[in-house]
Amino acid sequence: MVHLTTVPNDDVAQAPLVEGLQNIKFEQPHEDEVTASVYGSRFASEGLPGHALPEGEMPRDVAYRMIKDHLTLDGNPVLNLASFVTTYMEEEAEKLMAEALPKNFIDYEEYPQTADIQNKCVNMIARLYNAPTDANEDNAMGTSTVGSSEAIMLATLAMKRRWQNKRKAAGKDISKPNIVMNSAVQVCWEKAARYFEIEEKYVYCTEDRYVIDPAEAVGMIDENTIGICTILGSTYTGQYEDTKAVNDLLIKKGIDCPIHVDAASGGFVAPFVVPEMEWDFRLEKVVSINVSGHKYGLVYPGVGWVVWRSPEFLPKELVFNINYLGADQASFTLNFSKGASQVLGQYYQFIRLGRSGYRSIMLNLTRTADYLAACLKQMGFVIMR
């Protein structure tokens, strides 16, 4: 199963689902026949259109029922433990999000209050991650994305461009950028490296270590390294990598190399479960952080966030200023148009739950995870952590 779809040739598209079925003749309902039942209509005797746009229309109740029935073979999202995205939101949140479905989020001039809500979310997340906010500090910056994959793409692009600018200023070659990361990173990191032509330098896992080794990672840095990625919540084991150890080694060795923290999974867990753990902007070398709102941010897919410590780490030439939607506005995204619903859903959760609500939920989730791990261990399973 892949997201890229191959369009079949006509001979394949027109072939019967079951060989010989085309020879069996059924009496078809008349095209204009009226029936009280969806399943008595001619549409129920035909396959759902899949290769070409149908010529005629279909009644709305029939279209709804046919698609709904088609989806019954999907899994139940509530029982899906594989992708760990949010599968429950309160009725009020769903209503708020449904009402915003027609809004194009990118049109800040037309929907200024929606844009303001994104800014409120960025402010809250930046402070949650201890971004510098003193009067003598540069302002932290951030934006919403359609998920952590886009957020990571943007952060990687920012690190690469900043590295290029420094190398150009020194009259040095910029053709061989690389990035240091764990071999167990989520696939979006491999995409970012490949799409933006960055060499991947992996710290490989061992039989008893599934996270990055700080000393090995720092030892792989050279003049072409644009940054180090550390993970707050590995996709495979949920473990937190030791960002502080990486940070301290960089400082000890006097190495100027930024750290990006991939907090897609742990960014809304660690601040409430282990608030004393230093992994965020409290560490000098951490320049950017991404987090998935649709994981433990408790919002339906898809929404993500990325925050930079200061404008220094987001080169201004990557930010586009446009005016064709009614007013001047800055844009730093990989896509353009997108729905506003998920951003509003995120803000709803922030003000509905607050710190105490998130803390209660994350502590309960952690207790449940610990209980399940203990039960599996008793059954003889090996817990990889």
Side-chain angles (χ1 to χ4, degrees), residues 130-206:
N130 297 288
T133 55
D134 294 338
N136 60 341
E137 298 279 358
D138 287 334
N139 297 90
M141 304 177 70
T143 186
S144 65
T145 61
V146 294
S148 274
S149 291
E150 184 188 8
I152 285 167
M153 298 279 182
L154 297 178
T156 302
L157 193 56
M159 286 191 291
K160 179 183 178 183
R161 184 55 59 90
R162 182 170 177 266
W163 170 84
Q164 287 177 323
N165 290 345
K166 291 176 67 175
R167 299 277 292 178
K168 284 180 181 177
K172 297 180 179 179
D173 178 61
I174 61 169
S175 65
K176 299 178 181 179
N178 67 65
I179 187 167
V180 177
M181 52 190 173
N182 185 355
S183 61
V185 290
Q186 212 267 357
V187 69
C188 61
W189 280 100
E190 298 175 69
K191 288 182 181 180
R194 219 164 292 177
Y195 293 170
F196 300 141
E197 299 182 319
I198 302 168
E199 178 191 356
E200 303 144 83
K201 298 183 76 171
Y202 289 124
V203 178
Y204 287 96
C205 299
T206 65

Side-chain angles (χ1 to χ4, degrees), residues 48-324:
L48 277 175
H51 300 296
L53 192 66
E55 292 295 334
E57 302 174 37
M58 182 184 294
R60 60 185 182 183
D61 58 328
V62 176
Y64 171 80
R65 174 51 60 180
M66 299 300 286
I67 297 172
K68 183 177 176 65
D69 286 353
H70 189 69
L71 295 175
T72 56
L73 295 179
D74 271 354
N76 183 343
V78 177
L79 301 179
N80 180 7
L81 300 181
S83 61
F84 39 90
V85 297
T86 296
T87 57
Y88 167 78
M89 294 183 74
E90 292 172 333
E91 181 180 343
E92 291 79 6
E94 292 180 340
K95 182 180 178 182
L96 187 69
M97 294 169 73
E99 291 169 351
L101 285 174
K103 289 187 179 180
N104 184 5
F105 175 79
I106 201 66
D107 196 345
Y108 304 147
E109 180 69 10
E110 187 69 23
Y111 309 115
Q113 298 308 110
T114 299
D116 181 61
I117 283 179
Q118 178 204 238
N119 297 341
K120 293 178 189 297
C121 289
V122 169
N123 291 340
M124 293 178 183
I125 293 169
R127 282 177 167 79
L128 183 66
Y129 297 161
N130 297 288
T133 55
D134 294 338
N136 60 341
E137 298 279 358
D138 287 334
N139 297 90
M141 304 177 70
T143 186
S144 65
T145 61
V146 294
S148 274
S149 291
E150 184 188 8
I152 285 167
M153 298 279 182
L154 297 178
T156 302
L157 193 56
M159 286 191 291
K160 179 183 178 183
R161 184 55 59 90
R162 182 170 177 266
W163 170 84
Q164 287 177 323
N165 290 345
K166 291 176 67 175
R167 299 277 292 178
K168 284 180 181 177
K172 297 180 179 179
D173 178 61
I174 61 169
S175 65
K176 299 178 181 179
N178 67 65
I179 187 167
V180 177
M181 52 190 173
N182 185 355
S183 61
V185 290
Q186 212 267 357
V187 69
C188 61
W189 280 100
E190 298 175 69
K191 288 182 181 180
R194 219 164 292 177
Y195 293 170
F196 300 141
E197 299 182 319
I198 302 168
E199 178 191 356
E200 303 144 83
K201 298 183 76 171
Y202 289 124
V203 178
Y204 287 96
C205 299
T206 65
E207 290 186 0
D208 57 359
R209 174 181 56 75
Y210 311 109
V211 292
I212 201 169
D213 178 83
E216 186 178 345
V218 172
M220 297 175 76
I221 296 172
D222 59 30
E223 64 177 0
N224 292 316
T225 301
I226 67 170
I228 295 180
C229 158
T230 62
I231 309 171
L232 191 75
S234 166
T235 300
Y236 298 98
T237 66
Q239 288 176 278
Y240 297 157
E241 296 190 328
D242 196 344
T243 303
K244 187 176 188 306
V246 175
N247 176 84
D248 293 350
L249 276 173
L250 291 172
I251 294 174
K252 180 180 178 180
K253 293 177 178 292
I255 299 174
D256 181 18
C257 180
I259 299 173
H260 174 87
V261 180
D262 179 359
S265 296
F268 284 120
V269 179
F272 306 108
V273 177
V274 282
E276 71 282 358
M277 185 176 74
E278 295 182 34
W279 61 272
D280 53 20
F281 291 121
R282 285 171 288 184
L283 303 177
E284 175 186 331
K285 296 296 184 178
V286 172
V287 302
S288 52
I289 300 171
N290 70 274
V291 65
S292 291
H294 57 225
K295 290 189 176 73
Y296 299 102
L298 306 180
V299 183
Y300 292 143
V303 61
W305 303 90
V306 58
V307 180
W308 287 269
R309 173 185 289 274
S310 78
E312 174 190 353
F313 302 102
L314 177 53
K316 61 183 180 181
E317 64 266 28
L318 295 178
V319 181
F320 289 84
N321 293 294
I322 58 175
N323 60 13
Y324 47 80

